[in-house]
Amino acid sequence: MSVAEPRRIVLFRHAKADWPQVADHERPLADRGRMDAAEAGRRLTDTGIAFDLALCSTAVRTRETWKLAVQEFPQRPKTVYEERVYEASPGELIALLNETPDDAQNVLMIGHNPGIQGLADVLAGSGEDDARERMTRRGFPAAAFAVLSFGSTWKSLEPGVATLRDYWAPAE
């Protein structure tokens, strides 16, 4: 693959979680979260992006979100459950993405706020259509995702190099 071909990263916040009396890392999805995760999977499929790699936080709610969303995909990408995604800052997430092998063109990251929203804001130097306006107005609610593209290597990924191509969030 040539680096002239744009790489894409989709930043996907876990769906709505429940609040039982368990440690934060162990919180499961709420009923609404299970419905929204499946809908997000359908919307991700509609983007037409064939993902090479999914990086998913090890938290229960992110793993459940991914399990429901990926059922909607025509083909399951390689999935890595990565504990460093949990409670990570945008800078820590960029450092993790910098480790992505260059043969991966399209990466999906399933994580948490405020890191996922912060990463979308930090990476997007520009935006298409009304995607940035919608993301700014809606924020990054549970099950939302942002599609960004950039034209260099993963090792070169840094603030401001990407273009926000699309944004989706479930209706509230």
Side-chain angles (χ1 to χ4, degrees):
M1 186 197 101
S2 158
V3 291
E5 280 183 71
R7 296 182 191 274
R8 287 176 288 200
I9 177 161
V10 174
L11 302 173
F12 181 18
R13 182 179 175 198
H14 66 79
K16 186 165 182 58
D18 204 353
W19 288 93
Q21 295 297 316
V22 296
D24 183 69
H25 192 271
E26 304 307 311
R27 290 176 44 221
L29 291 180
D31 289 342
R32 178 170 157 212
R34 286 189 281 282
M35 291 186 305
D36 288 348
E39 176 65 17
R42 288 187 287 278
R43 297 297 181 128
L44 284 164
T45 298
D46 290 346
T47 68
I49 299 171
F51 294 102
D52 302 303
L53 176 65
L55 296 171
C56 184
S57 164
T58 56
V60 169
R61 59 193 177 274
T62 50
R63 289 183 289 135
E64 287 181 352
T65 297
W66 177 232
K67 180 180 176 184
L68 291 164
V70 76
Q71 290 176 12
E72 305 296 330
F73 287 29
Q75 184 173 330
R76 182 185 179 100
K78 176 183 176 184
T79 301
V80 175
Y81 295 97
E82 176 56 68
E83 63 187 31
R84 292 179 291 170
V85 175
Y86 180 69
E87 294 187 339
S89 69
E92 291 166 328
L93 294 172
I94 288 173
L96 177 60
L97 289 165
N98 289 154
E99 298 173 13
T100 302
D102 278 334
D103 62 350
Q105 181 178 357
N106 301 313
V107 174
L108 176 66
M109 180 178 278
I110 307 98
H112 311 265
N113 261 3
I116 289 292
Q117 179 176 359
L119 182 58
D121 288 337
V122 164
L123 289 178
S126 61
E128 269 189 12
D129 301 326
D130 67 339
R132 183 178 290 283
E133 187 276 326
R134 286 183 291 124
M135 189 171 80
T136 300
R137 181 173 29 88
R138 294 282 317 273
F140 226 90
F145 65 82
V147 179
L148 298 111
S149 67
F150 64 102
S152 60
T153 65
W154 291 105
K155 286 179 178 49
S156 303
L157 183 65
E158 62 184 31
V161 301
T163 300
L164 178 64
R165 300 286 181 195
D166 197 6
Y167 166 82
W168 179 83
E172 294 197 16

